[in-house]
Amino acid sequence: QVRLVESGGGLVQPGGSLRLSCAASGSIVKNYDMVWYRQFPGKQRDLVAHITTGGSTDYADSVKDRFTISRDNARNTVFLQMNSLKPEDTAVYYCAALGTSLPWGQGTQVTVSS
């Protein structure tokens, strides 16, 4: 079964950086638009970043100029580089392939705190 597996989260101080990875089995990454969501406790998932199959990107206003989404089709992996992290970025981060019915992965916890 095709799966999405997120990793790379952790505890970081404000102003720090993290790089999240989303590894997919099969050819999901190169054939579908890929997105990163995040979920705050008790809230629904919000879209953070989107990359099309052609490489175009789009971001939520709250992360624009701080986060960068990228993809490595050969490694079937999508990345989210997060710089200048703020406490309000603390959330569980998930990736997804748009237009598929793949189940959600386990997510990766990002905690920004001093």
Side-chain angles (χ1 to χ4, degrees):
Q1 183 180 5
V2 178
R3 295 175 59 207
L4 299 170
V5 180
E6 302 94 345
S7 63
L11 173 64
V12 63
Q13 292 187 341
S17 298
L18 283 173
R19 188 193 196 203
L20 306 184
S21 298
C22 169
S25 54
S27 304
I28 290 295
V29 170
K30 71 175 183 179
N31 290 326
Y32 292 90
D33 288 9
M34 300 295 296
V35 294
W36 282 95
Y37 290 90
R38 65 185 179 187
Q39 187 170 25
F40 303 112
K43 303 291 186 181
Q44 65 182 20
R45 290 185 180 96
D46 295 325
L47 184 65
V48 173
H50 171 205
I51 185 166
T52 68
T53 54
S56 297
T57 59
D58 193 22
Y59 301 91
D61 287 342
S62 59
V63 307
K64 204 168 290 185
D65 299 325
R66 298 189 297 122
F67 290 11
T68 303
I69 188 172
S70 62
R71 65 198 305 153
D72 184 333
N73 290 340
R75 295 169 57 189
N76 295 316
T77 304
V78 178
F79 303 99
L80 186 67
Q81 177 67 43
M82 305 188 298
N83 299 327
S84 302
L85 283 161
K86 305 175 181 180
E88 52 264 42
D89 295 318
T90 295
V92 180
Y93 286 71
Y94 300 88
C95 65
L98 293 184
T100 71
S101 57
L102 291 176
W104 291 102
Q106 82 287 351
T108 186
Q109 174 71 48
V110 171
T111 302
V112 185
S113 175
S114 55

